[in-house]
């Protein structure tokens, strides 16, 4: 089994639709389906258009199995990426949390590690009052490069953009997290 990051964008217009989506995910876990998929956890997101989305972690045999799972629970997957690593920097913080997506940034794991070390230092030393790095998941992009999905606690999205600029890496997408599920 491989661990995957699955992004589900704009799946709900409001809280009741989001609750229904989560109920479908829970129901799938509770009944035998024959699909080798295990839901680990999700982060509820408020998308730029005001809708709700989910950033999910799953264990599965492969990406096609997750596509079948998405069809089964009626929650389309905008992205399915295999995780190549995980770094938990701090325990999950319940407020002011943002998901930062970095696409196609690194060619090698060594490059990623150098960026991570610099990111950690800049966050802790230069921007300690503005943000805190919580955890990151490295992912293999479709073109073979490495990207990441990171969780930060921050005063606002601009602090995360400033941090990325200081580190010299992208912050392709910054989405407020409204809760961990």
């Amino acid at each position: 089994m491989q661990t995957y990051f699955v992004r589900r964008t704009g799946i709900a217009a409001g809280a009741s639709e989001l609750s229904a989506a989560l109920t479908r995910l829970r129901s799938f876990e509770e009944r035998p389906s024959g699909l080798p998929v295990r839901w680990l956890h999700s982060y509820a997101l408020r998308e730029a258009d005001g809708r709700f989305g989910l950033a999910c972690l799953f264990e599965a045999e492969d990406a096609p199995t997750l596509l079948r799972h998405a069809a089964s629970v009626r929650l389309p997957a905008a992205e399915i990426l295999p995780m190549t690593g995980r770094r938990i920097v701090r325990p999950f913080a319940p407020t002011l949390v943002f998901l930062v997506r970095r696409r196609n940034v690194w060619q090698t794991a060594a490059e990623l590690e150098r960026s991570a070390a610099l990111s950690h230092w800049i966050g802790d030393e230069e921007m300690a009052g503005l943000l805190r790095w919580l955890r990151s998941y490295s992912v293999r992009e479709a073109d073979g490069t490495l990207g990441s999905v990171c969780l930060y606690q921050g005063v606002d999205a601009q602090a995360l953009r400033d941090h990325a600029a200081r580190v010299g890496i992208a912050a392709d997408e910054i989405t407020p997290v409204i809760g961990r599920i």
Side-chain angles (χ1 to χ4, degrees), residues 14-15 18 43-47 50-54 92 94-99 175-181:
L18 181 60
Y43 301 96
L45 309 171
R46 176 70 81 163
E47 304 287 347
R51 295 181 61 83
F52 293 98
L54 291 173
F92 189 81
T95 59
L96 301 170
V97 176
F98 297 88
L99 182 133
T175 308
V177 174
I178 58 172
R180 181 175 178 198
I181 302 151

Side-chain angles (χ1 to χ4, degrees), residues 8-12 17-25 27-28 31 35 51 54 58 66-77:
R8 302 173 191 285
T9 57
I11 61 164
E17 286 182 24
L18 181 60
S19 179
L22 293 169
T23 298
R24 290 196 304 274
L25 280 172
S27 295
F28 182 87
R31 62 178 157 71
L35 284 177
R51 295 181 61 83
L54 291 173
F58 283 92
L66 284 168
L67 285 173
R68 289 193 303 278
H69 173 269
S72 173
V73 296
R74 299 182 324 276
L75 293 171

Side-chain angles (χ1 to χ4, degrees), residues 89-160:
V89 180
R90 291 184 176 80
F92 189 81
T95 59
L96 301 170
V97 176
F98 297 88
L99 182 133
V100 179
R101 179 73 167 93
R102 304 181 201 287
R103 289 183 172 82
N104 311 96
V105 181
W106 305 279
Q107 296 296 317
T108 67
E111 289 177 7
L112 186 147
E113 286 302 317
R114 284 192 294 278
S115 289
L118 180 59
S119 176
H120 191 89
W121 186 85
I122 288 173
D124 283 358
E125 300 298 322
E126 295 182 7
M127 301 184 74
L130 300 174
L131 58 86
R132 290 180 61 167
W133 182 17
L134 300 175
R135 61 182 62 201
S136 290
Y137 304 98
S138 55
V139 297
R140 175 85 48 209
E141 302 287 356
D143 68 356
T145 62
L146 296 172
S148 67
V149 178
C150 306
L151 292 166
Y152 283 86
Q153 185 177 26
V155 295
D156 57 22
Q158 187 58 48
L160 298 168

